[in-house]
Amino acid sequence: MKVLRNFFLLSTAALMLSSCGEKKTVKADYDVIPKPLAVNAVDGTPFLLSARTRIVYPAGNETLQKTAEFLSQYIAEATGYTLRVVSSDKEKAANNIVLSLNENVANAEGYKLQIAESGIELSGSKEAGIFYGIQTLRKSIPATAMGASVEMSPVTIEDAPRFSYRGMHLDVGRHFYSMDFIKEFIDMLALHNLNRFHWHLTEDQGWRLEIKKYPKLTEIGSKRSETVIGHNSGEYDGKPYGGFYTQEQVKEIVAYAQDRFITVIPEIDLPGHMLAAITSYPEFGCTGGPYEVGREWGVFDDVICAGNEDAMVFLEDVLSEVVELFPSEYIHIGGDECPKVRWEKCPKCQSRIKAEKLDLNKAHKPEENLQSYVISRMERFLNEKGRQIIGWDEILEGGLAPNATLMSWRGMAGGIEAAKQKHDVIMTPTNYVYFDYYQTTDVENEPIAIGGYLPVERVYAFEPVPQELTAEEAKYVIGAQANVWTEYIPTSEQVEYMMLPRIAALAEVQWTKPELKDFQDFQSRMPQLIAFYDRNGYNYAKHMYDVTAEYTPLVEEGVLEVKLSSLNKADVIRYTLDGTEPTEASAVYAEPLKLKDAAQLKAAIIRATGSSRVLSQEINLNKASLKPVEMKYEAAKGYTYNGAVALIDGMKGTRNYKTGRWIGFVGNDLELVINLGDETELSSAKTSALVEKGDWIFAPTAFEVAVSNDGVKFTNVASEKYNVLGEKDRNGIYDYALSFEPVKAKFVRVTVKNTPALPTWHGGKGKNAYMFLDEIELN
């Protein structure tokens, strides 16, 4: 493991320092992540942590003995010296680190940390609180202080988490990871004060958990013949892929997590996402097969046969073994993305619907009620074994099972509805905490991801408790979680890259009270935490250390304002506007740039230790750019971003439609009026649309331009109509252009018509299509 490897290297370095007779002192810094509830400085002389310090735990408390040993290990990783761990009946408290239980600490995961010249006292009402106090203590010590004593100024820290559920999810169904990495993943959670590991163990593309009663699940279901290349390109790598965890390995992981006060919550996804299961046992599918373990990504029509009693017993048998392996209160049963097309035609499923009178509940379709039947039945089964279920927000369809906890991923609406029904909720919406999304708009220089755009600052802005809830309803929001889905994350190094440093922002969302959060303050504390990433050899994303840019169209002034910044305020940002690479001779950024003309902006920080990546942005201004605009129809909720100005800011979007450069429409068209101010001669118009058919995003069916001198009476000057896209038409960016005889006008009306409805060949046939547009150009 990386941590152990680095520990041995650090220990060797410490011995070398010691042999040279070097002695040095470094200072502790309590500005840690997540930010504690209260940090109060105290007058007095600092405590000096050195190799002579002892860690004292209550005699007979084996849990705190192990926790004390963790602290000793953590300090050794930083300093190279290992502190002795002793029980309270063998060592006096003076000049040592003393761990103790204190019933006056109210929160079970809270702690009180007191540092004085005479020693360090760390207490909590439960062992878990002391463990989190240790995380604060370890992060206060410089990550690399080899051979040094640590000067710790007097302070009292009182702390407790905001939420009891602080989760992180990892999908091992699409890609499988080693035992060593799963342990490292758990270590990363502990470093950030998370307490739940949601382990997504079964998928269409692979069953990863040994089930003794059904050996074919791993003999057959854990293997796929090959894997699709990229975004369901139709091309495959031709390489067999597989892997699973034995029950003994699972027990090892559960115990490893428990030692770090992390609960492992397994997910057995049902009744959908079970293609690997029914490939192993075809008799449990509606058609009887043959089936094949999924080779590509997406949602498959073949699911478990809800009308087959043997299939229901199969699910209960699997859950029986899962319960024996995982002592967690919760068992996650998925419930998401379950197509009903097989059930609609399956005699057994239709018979079950009749027998259970599922067709009498007119609030939902019979097949939705059938899904609710499966979820409720599995819930009763697990409740009888003393467990509770968690499901994704689709389990609302057909009615929520009586005792279910809901994990809201399709935005916050499902969580709001469940909380109002007095069900516990864990918020995990895609647009804030899906760590398989891109972290930057510069996607061409990133490893392939599923899409989306989720920078650190957006994660940090996440507020899990919606304003729509009353104070009483808000109590049902028990926590938040981020998810790592791994369709496009084949290696553990890439998992780290997608998690770090976004998990640091997540940690503060989960732990810290909202009134104490401040993103600039968070940024200033990040270098201290990143030093731990560096020391441990984690492959973290470094976008926070690059130049960032904020673009604001100032329509009143007719300029595009560009503000450049970096994490370290002392960094000198160099920039060019002609497309050349920035050097030490380039202009120094000192104040916001105000651009009136086309430019190729490039900016970077030139450091002796290594320069940042170059920020690059092409700005193409035309006669429509930075002019006042009015949009007749509203954009789709969630895809409005900065509104109509995004269409005239001179900057084009990439294939990633969630960067804020595209505006999305659903159920209506774009109709935009641009006020050119002065009479202007025009002879052409252009726009661009993004197509991602799998995401229901289609191309326009018409493009029209009309002109006016009074803004009231318009005359059409050009128009074109386009066919609705076919199944084989490509995804990507489509450009549209209209030419017309030169005409002078003060106002221009641009209309772009949406696809009326998804075509019959599409999985969402008849539903409203989305249309994403960017940049209206007039010349």
Side-chain angles (χ1 to χ4, degrees), residues 529-559:
L529 183 59
I530 284 175
F532 284 82
Y533 298 171
D534 285 329
R535 189 196 69 197
N536 293 346
Y538 295 155
N539 180 38
Y540 62 94
K542 299 178 176 64
H543 307 102
M544 290 184 71
Y545 282 104
D546 293 340
V547 178
T548 58
E550 180 184 344
Y551 304 94
T552 305
L554 300 179
V555 173
E556 299 82 2
E557 299 179 40
V559 299

mmCIF file of all heavy atoms in Angstrom, residues 529-559:
data_model
loop_
_atom_site.group_PDB
_atom_site.id
_atom_site.type_symbol
_atom_site.label_atom_id
_atom_site.label_comp_id
_atom_site.label_asym_id
_atom_site.label_seq_id
_atom_site.Cartn_x
_atom_site.Cartn_y
_atom_site.Cartn_z
ATOM 1 N N LEU A 529 -3.760 20.333 3.600
ATOM 2 C CA LEU A 529 -4.279 18.989 3.368
ATOM 3 C C LEU A 529 -3.610 18.349 2.157
ATOM 4 O O LEU A 529 -3.318 17.143 2.159
ATOM 5 C CB LEU A 529 -5.797 19.045 3.173
ATOM 6 C CG LEU A 529 -6.515 17.711 2.976
ATOM 7 C CD1 LEU A 529 -6.298 16.790 4.173
ATOM 8 C CD2 LEU A 529 -8.004 17.937 2.754
ATOM 9 N N ILE A 530 -3.363 19.150 1.131
ATOM 10 C CA ILE A 530 -2.732 18.600 -0.072
ATOM 11 C C ILE A 530 -1.337 18.070 0.231
ATOM 12 O O ILE A 530 -0.863 17.130 -0.423
ATOM 13 C CB ILE A 530 -2.722 19.666 -1.184
ATOM 14 C CG1 ILE A 530 -4.145 19.773 -1.773
ATOM 15 C CG2 ILE A 530 -1.723 19.349 -2.286
ATOM 16 C CD1 ILE A 530 -4.331 20.854 -2.802
ATOM 17 N N ALA A 531 -0.683 18.622 1.244
ATOM 18 C CA ALA A 531 0.622 18.085 1.649
ATOM 19 C C ALA A 531 0.503 16.618 2.066
ATOM 20 O O ALA A 531 1.430 15.822 1.843
ATOM 21 C CB ALA A 531 1.189 18.924 2.791
ATOM 22 N N PHE A 532 -0.644 16.250 2.647
ATOM 23 C CA PHE A 532 -0.877 14.839 2.991
ATOM 24 C C PHE A 532 -1.068 14.012 1.726
ATOM 25 O O PHE A 532 -0.585 12.876 1.642
ATOM 26 C CB PHE A 532 -2.098 14.713 3.909
ATOM 27 C CG PHE A 532 -1.838 15.127 5.326
ATOM 28 C CD1 PHE A 532 -1.868 16.471 5.688
ATOM 29 C CD2 PHE A 532 -1.553 14.188 6.300
ATOM 30 C CE1 PHE A 532 -1.632 16.867 6.981
ATOM 31 C CE2 PHE A 532 -1.310 14.568 7.615
ATOM 32 C CZ PHE A 532 -1.339 15.917 7.960
ATOM 33 N N TYR A 533 -1.792 14.554 0.742
ATOM 34 C CA TYR A 533 -1.959 13.845 -0.527
ATOM 35 C C TYR A 533 -0.589 13.568 -1.157
ATOM 36 O O TYR A 533 -0.324 12.467 -1.649
ATOM 37 C CB TYR A 533 -2.800 14.664 -1.506
ATOM 38 C CG TYR A 533 -4.207 14.988 -1.113
ATOM 39 C CD1 TYR A 533 -4.966 15.879 -1.872
ATOM 40 C CD2 TYR A 533 -4.822 14.432 0.011
ATOM 41 C CE1 TYR A 533 -6.276 16.201 -1.539
ATOM 42 C CE2 TYR A 533 -6.122 14.745 0.357
ATOM 43 C CZ TYR A 533 -6.837 15.644 -0.424
ATOM 44 O OH TYR A 533 -8.129 15.963 -0.093
ATOM 45 N N ASP A 534 0.264 14.601 -1.151
ATOM 46 C CA ASP A 534 1.593 14.454 -1.749
ATOM 47 C C ASP A 534 2.405 13.394 -1.011
ATOM 48 O O ASP A 534 3.028 12.530 -1.628
ATOM 49 C CB ASP A 534 2.336 15.794 -1.710
ATOM 50 C CG ASP A 534 1.835 16.782 -2.749
ATOM 51 O OD1 ASP A 534 1.392 16.336 -3.827
ATOM 52 O OD2 ASP A 534 1.876 17.999 -2.492
ATOM 53 N N ARG A 535 2.386 13.475 0.300
ATOM 54 C CA ARG A 535 3.184 12.525 1.084
ATOM 55 C C ARG A 535 2.727 11.087 0.879
ATOM 56 O O ARG A 535 3.538 10.162 0.779
ATOM 57 C CB ARG A 535 3.091 12.886 2.572
ATOM 58 C CG ARG A 535 4.053 12.095 3.451
ATOM 59 C CD ARG A 535 3.666 12.192 4.906
ATOM 60 N NE ARG A 535 2.425 11.480 5.180
ATOM 61 C CZ ARG A 535 1.688 11.654 6.272
ATOM 62 N NH1 ARG A 535 2.037 12.558 7.162
ATOM 63 N NH2 ARG A 535 0.587 10.948 6.460
ATOM 64 N N ASN A 536 1.421 10.897 0.770
ATOM 65 C CA ASN A 536 0.876 9.551 0.624
ATOM 66 C C ASN A 536 0.890 9.053 -0.814
ATOM 67 O O ASN A 536 0.485 7.923 -1.080
ATOM 68 C CB ASN A 536 -0.559 9.493 1.166
ATOM 69 C CG ASN A 536 -0.613 9.691 2.674
ATOM 70 O OD1 ASN A 536 0.406 9.617 3.356
ATOM 71 N ND2 ASN A 536 -1.792 9.971 3.189
ATOM 72 N N GLY A 537 1.303 9.894 -1.733
ATOM 73 C CA GLY A 537 1.393 9.471 -3.123
ATOM 74 C C GLY A 537 0.057 9.390 -3.826
ATOM 75 O O GLY A 537 -0.087 8.664 -4.817
ATOM 76 N N TYR A 538 -0.941 10.149 -3.350
ATOM 77 C CA TYR A 538 -2.252 10.125 -3.978
ATOM 78 C C TYR A 538 -2.214 10.882 -5.310
ATOM 79 O O TYR A 538 -1.573 11.935 -5.431
ATOM 80 C CB TYR A 538 -3.307 10.771 -3.080
ATOM 81 C CG TYR A 538 -3.585 10.054 -1.786
ATOM 82 C CD1 TYR A 538 -4.096 10.739 -0.681
ATOM 83 C CD2 TYR A 538 -3.351 8.676 -1.644
ATOM 84 C CE1 TYR A 538 -4.370 10.088 0.511
ATOM 85 C CE2 TYR A 538 -3.624 8.024 -0.447
ATOM 86 C CZ TYR A 538 -4.127 8.741 0.632
ATOM 87 O OH TYR A 538 -4.391 8.095 1.804
ATOM 88 N N ASN A 539 -2.952 10.376 -6.266
ATOM 89 C CA ASN A 539 -3.019 11.002 -7.591
ATOM 90 C C ASN A 539 -4.192 11.974 -7.611
ATOM 91 O O ASN A 539 -5.266 11.665 -8.104
ATOM 92 C CB ASN A 539 -3.191 9.930 -8.671
ATOM 93 C CG ASN A 539 -3.267 10.522 -10.059
ATOM 94 O OD1 ASN A 539 -2.569 11.484 -10.368
ATOM 95 N ND2 ASN A 539 -4.123 9.967 -10.896
ATOM 96 N N TYR A 540 -3.980 13.174 -7.103
ATOM 97 C CA TYR A 540 -5.080 14.132 -6.987
ATOM 98 C C TYR A 540 -5.086 15.104 -8.162
ATOM 99 O O TYR A 540 -4.055 15.370 -8.796
ATOM 100 C CB TYR A 540 -4.993 14.904 -5.668
ATOM 101 C CG TYR A 540 -3.747 15.745 -5.501
ATOM 102 C CD1 TYR A 540 -3.736 17.095 -5.850
ATOM 103 C CD2 TYR A 540 -2.577 15.196 -4.981
ATOM 104 C CE1 TYR A 540 -2.606 17.869 -5.693
ATOM 105 C CE2 TYR A 540 -1.440 15.957 -4.819
ATOM 106 C CZ TYR A 540 -1.447 17.292 -5.172
ATOM 107 O OH TYR A 540 -0.310 18.056 -5.032
ATOM 108 N N ALA A 541 -6.257 15.646 -8.464
ATOM 109 C CA ALA A 541 -6.394 16.647 -9.518
ATOM 110 C C ALA A 541 -5.861 17.986 -9.013
ATOM 111 O O ALA A 541 -6.108 18.371 -7.872
ATOM 112 C CB ALA A 541 -7.854 16.782 -9.930
ATOM 113 N N LYS A 542 -5.139 18.688 -9.865
ATOM 114 C CA LYS A 542 -4.442 19.911 -9.448
ATOM 115 C C LYS A 542 -5.069 21.175 -10.035
ATOM 116 O O LYS A 542 -4.416 22.221 -10.094
ATOM 117 C CB LYS A 542 -2.964 19.810 -9.830
ATOM 118 C CG LYS A 542 -2.261 18.623 -9.148
ATOM 119 C CD LYS A 542 -0.812 18.494 -9.578
ATOM 120 C CE LYS A 542 -0.122 17.376 -8.805
ATOM 121 N NZ LYS A 542 -0.679 16.053 -9.068
ATOM 122 N N HIS A 543 -6.333 21.089 -10.449
ATOM 123 C CA HIS A 543 -6.964 22.257 -11.065
ATOM 124 C C HIS A 543 -6.996 23.458 -10.133
ATOM 125 O O HIS A 543 -6.962 24.602 -10.578
ATOM 126 C CB HIS A 543 -8.394 21.912 -11.502
ATOM 127 C CG HIS A 543 -8.465 20.698 -12.375
ATOM 128 N ND1 HIS A 543 -8.855 19.474 -11.902
ATOM 129 C CD2 HIS A 543 -8.156 20.524 -13.683
ATOM 130 C CE1 HIS A 543 -8.809 18.596 -12.890
ATOM 131 N NE2 HIS A 543 -8.392 19.196 -13.968
ATOM 132 N N MET A 544 -7.061 23.211 -8.837
ATOM 133 C CA MET A 544 -7.110 24.317 -7.885
ATOM 134 C C MET A 544 -5.838 25.143 -7.926
ATOM 135 O O MET A 544 -5.830 26.307 -7.506
ATOM 136 C CB MET A 544 -7.367 23.799 -6.471
ATOM 137 C CG MET A 544 -8.759 23.259 -6.234
ATOM 138 S SD MET A 544 -9.046 22.762 -4.529
ATOM 139 C CE MET A 544 -9.114 24.355 -3.705
ATOM 140 N N TYR A 545 -4.752 24.554 -8.409
ATOM 141 C CA TYR A 545 -3.477 25.271 -8.474
ATOM 142 C C TYR A 545 -3.259 25.939 -9.822
ATOM 143 O O TYR A 545 -2.247 26.595 -10.043
ATOM 144 C CB TYR A 545 -2.319 24.320 -8.165
ATOM 145 C CG TYR A 545 -2.178 24.053 -6.690
ATOM 146 C CD1 TYR A 545 -2.600 22.862 -6.130
ATOM 147 C CD2 TYR A 545 -1.650 25.021 -5.847
ATOM 148 C CE1 TYR A 545 -2.483 22.633 -4.765
ATOM 149 C CE2 TYR A 545 -1.527 24.809 -4.482
ATOM 150 C CZ TYR A 545 -1.940 23.602 -3.954
ATOM 151 O OH TYR A 545 -1.830 23.387 -2.595
ATOM 152 N N ASP A 546 -4.197 25.744 -10.732
ATOM 153 C CA ASP A 546 -4.109 26.401 -12.028
ATOM 154 C C ASP A 546 -4.747 27.781 -11.964
ATOM 155 O O ASP A 546 -5.404 28.148 -10.980
ATOM 156 C CB ASP A 546 -4.838 25.561 -13.091
ATOM 157 C CG ASP A 546 -4.140 24.241 -13.367
ATOM 158 O OD1 ASP A 546 -2.936 24.134 -13.056
ATOM 159 O OD2 ASP A 546 -4.799 23.325 -13.874
ATOM 160 N N VAL A 547 -4.563 28.529 -13.037
ATOM 161 C CA VAL A 547 -5.259 29.804 -13.162
ATOM 162 C C VAL A 547 -6.736 29.513 -13.414
ATOM 163 O O VAL A 547 -7.083 28.648 -14.223
ATOM 164 C CB VAL A 547 -4.689 30.628 -14.330
ATOM 165 C CG1 VAL A 547 -5.460 31.939 -14.492
ATOM 166 C CG2 VAL A 547 -3.208 30.909 -14.112
ATOM 167 N N THR A 548 -7.605 30.215 -12.726
ATOM 168 C CA THR A 548 -9.039 30.112 -12.995
ATOM 169 C C THR A 548 -9.520 31.453 -13.541
ATOM 170 O O THR A 548 -8.942 32.513 -13.233
ATOM 171 C CB THR A 548 -9.826 29.747 -11.728
ATOM 172 O OG1 THR A 548 -9.574 30.728 -10.725
ATOM 173 C CG2 THR A 548 -9.417 28.386 -11.215
ATOM 174 N N ALA A 549 -10.551 31.394 -14.339
ATOM 175 C CA ALA A 549 -11.061 32.604 -14.969
ATOM 176 C C ALA A 549 -12.557 32.725 -14.753
ATOM 177 O O ALA A 549 -13.289 31.732 -14.792
ATOM 178 C CB ALA A 549 -10.746 32.594 -16.461
ATOM 179 N N GLU A 550 -12.995 33.938 -14.516
ATOM 180 C CA GLU A 550 -14.418 34.253 -14.413
ATOM 181 C C GLU A 550 -14.747 35.237 -15.529
ATOM 182 O O GLU A 550 -14.153 36.319 -15.608
ATOM 183 C CB GLU A 550 -14.728 34.865 -13.050
ATOM 184 C CG GLU A 550 -16.190 35.234 -12.855
ATOM 185 C CD GLU A 550 -16.442 35.916 -11.530
ATOM 186 O OE1 GLU A 550 -15.560 35.843 -10.640
ATOM 187 O OE2 GLU A 550 -17.515 36.527 -11.380
ATOM 188 N N TYR A 551 -15.664 34.838 -16.406
ATOM 189 C CA TYR A 551 -16.019 35.665 -17.558
ATOM 190 C C TYR A 551 -17.396 36.292 -17.322
ATOM 191 O O TYR A 551 -18.369 35.583 -17.092
ATOM 192 C CB TYR A 551 -16.058 34.815 -18.828
ATOM 193 C CG TYR A 551 -14.773 34.062 -19.114
ATOM 194 C CD1 TYR A 551 -14.620 32.741 -18.687
ATOM 195 C CD2 TYR A 551 -13.733 34.668 -19.799
ATOM 196 C CE1 TYR A 551 -13.448 32.044 -18.940
ATOM 197 C CE2 TYR A 551 -12.552 33.974 -20.066
ATOM 198 C CZ TYR A 551 -12.413 32.665 -19.630
ATOM 199 O OH TYR A 551 -11.251 31.971 -19.887
ATOM 200 N N THR A 552 -17.469 37.610 -17.412
ATOM 201 C CA THR A 552 -18.735 38.305 -17.186
ATOM 202 C C THR A 552 -19.024 39.255 -18.346
ATOM 203 O O THR A 552 -18.286 40.240 -18.531
ATOM 204 C CB THR A 552 -18.697 39.115 -15.880
ATOM 205 O OG1 THR A 552 -18.334 38.248 -14.797
ATOM 206 C CG2 THR A 552 -20.055 39.741 -15.596
ATOM 207 N N PRO A 553 -20.044 39.000 -19.154
ATOM 208 C CA PRO A 553 -20.412 39.948 -20.206
ATOM 209 C C PRO A 553 -21.016 41.205 -19.576
ATOM 210 O O PRO A 553 -22.033 41.126 -18.886
ATOM 211 C CB PRO A 553 -21.448 39.190 -21.041
ATOM 212 C CG PRO A 553 -21.315 37.761 -20.624
ATOM 213 C CD PRO A 553 -20.849 37.776 -19.208
ATOM 214 N N LEU A 554 -20.379 42.339 -19.777
ATOM 215 C CA LEU A 554 -20.905 43.613 -19.295
ATOM 216 C C LEU A 554 -21.588 44.296 -20.471
ATOM 217 O O LEU A 554 -20.979 45.049 -21.230
ATOM 218 C CB LEU A 554 -19.779 44.471 -18.722
ATOM 219 C CG LEU A 554 -19.007 43.862 -17.537
ATOM 220 C CD1 LEU A 554 -17.898 44.804 -17.076
ATOM 221 C CD2 LEU A 554 -19.942 43.531 -16.384
ATOM 222 N N VAL A 555 -22.860 43.963 -20.631
ATOM 223 C CA VAL A 555 -23.600 44.410 -21.804
ATOM 224 C C VAL A 555 -23.685 45.935 -21.863
ATOM 225 O O VAL A 555 -23.586 46.537 -22.940
ATOM 226 C CB VAL A 555 -25.009 43.768 -21.810
ATOM 227 C CG1 VAL A 555 -25.862 44.345 -22.929
ATOM 228 C CG2 VAL A 555 -24.891 42.256 -21.949
ATOM 229 N N GLU A 556 -23.829 46.580 -20.713
ATOM 230 C CA GLU A 556 -23.937 48.041 -20.696
ATOM 231 C C GLU A 556 -22.690 48.703 -21.253
ATOM 232 O O GLU A 556 -22.758 49.749 -21.902
ATOM 233 C CB GLU A 556 -24.183 48.536 -19.259
ATOM 234 C CG GLU A 556 -25.459 48.020 -18.623
ATOM 235 C CD GLU A 556 -25.289 46.611 -18.047
ATOM 236 O OE1 GLU A 556 -24.159 46.073 -18.124
ATOM 237 O OE2 GLU A 556 -26.282 46.054 -17.549
ATOM 238 N N GLU A 557 -21.527 48.096 -20.990
ATOM 239 C CA GLU A 557 -20.269 48.658 -21.468
ATOM 240 C C GLU A 557 -19.837 48.058 -22.806
ATOM 241 O O GLU A 557 -18.914 48.568 -23.440
ATOM 242 C CB GLU A 557 -19.156 48.416 -20.439
ATOM 243 C CG GLU A 557 -19.395 49.047 -19.089
ATOM 244 C CD GLU A 557 -18.267 48.740 -18.108
ATOM 245 O OE1 GLU A 557 -17.095 48.759 -18.545
ATOM 246 O OE2 GLU A 557 -18.559 48.468 -16.935
ATOM 247 N N GLY A 558 -20.487 46.963 -23.196
ATOM 248 C CA GLY A 558 -20.103 46.314 -24.434
ATOM 249 C C GLY A 558 -18.757 45.630 -24.362
ATOM 250 O O GLY A 558 -18.021 45.567 -25.363
ATOM 251 N N VAL A 559 -18.415 45.108 -23.178
ATOM 252 C CA VAL A 559 -17.129 44.431 -23.011
ATOM 253 C C VAL A 559 -17.327 43.098 -22.297
ATOM 254 O O VAL A 559 -18.328 42.892 -21.597
ATOM 255 C CB VAL A 559 -16.127 45.295 -22.196
ATOM 256 C CG1 VAL A 559 -15.857 46.611 -22.916
ATOM 257 C CG2 VAL A 559 -16.631 45.520 -20.778
#
